[in-house]
Amino acid sequence: MCLGIPGQIVAVADSEAMLCVVDVSGVRRTVDVVCVAEPGAPLDDLVGAWVLVHVGFAMSRIDEEEAAATLKVLSEIGEAAVEMEALTQGSVELLSTPR
């Protein structure tokens, strides 16, 4: 099954490569945002946006309410743990989060 898990774009990692940092329940990853970026608009406009992330790509934009509801449902059915594990073990570099 292919799932997209909600995350919030928190920073631009590389504008030229169309990469942003997304926070998914405390895990920060660099993901490709080519599918959700507005043509001609700066990537900084995406900071704060909620997106569905799948295998290193932000696939679509969603609102914060939908993100919260989706995370709740995924947690209830146990899928969030599987997707979070995939995020932490995927091929895209895991970014350290300052605490």
Side-chain angles (χ1 to χ4, degrees):
M1 175 189 330
C2 296
L3 283 179
I5 191 160
Q8 186 173 34
I9 297 174
V10 295
V12 175
D14 184 338
S15 294
E16 193 171 304
M18 301 291 288
L19 299 174
C20 286
V21 178
V22 175
D23 185 294
V24 179
S25 298
V27 176
R28 290 188 175 202
R29 300 295 307 246
T30 301
V31 300
D32 189 307
V33 294
V34 71
C35 294
V36 298
E38 293 292 328
L43 287 187
D44 287 333
D45 290 354
L46 289 174
V47 174
W50 284 88
V51 293
L52 288 176
V53 177
H54 177 67
V55 294
F57 289 87
M59 302 304 293
S60 63
R61 292 189 200 196
I62 59 173
D63 62 35
E64 186 173 4
E65 186 177 303
E66 183 178 354
T70 301
L71 285 169
K72 182 177 186 268
V73 169
L74 290 174
S75 292
E76 288 172 354
I77 63 172
E79 290 295 327
V82 173
E83 290 299 312
M84 291 301 296
E85 181 66 22
L87 278 170
T88 60
Q89 308 239 340
S91 61
V92 179
E93 179 181 334
L94 179 65
L95 299 176
S96 60
T97 56
R99 302 222 184 232

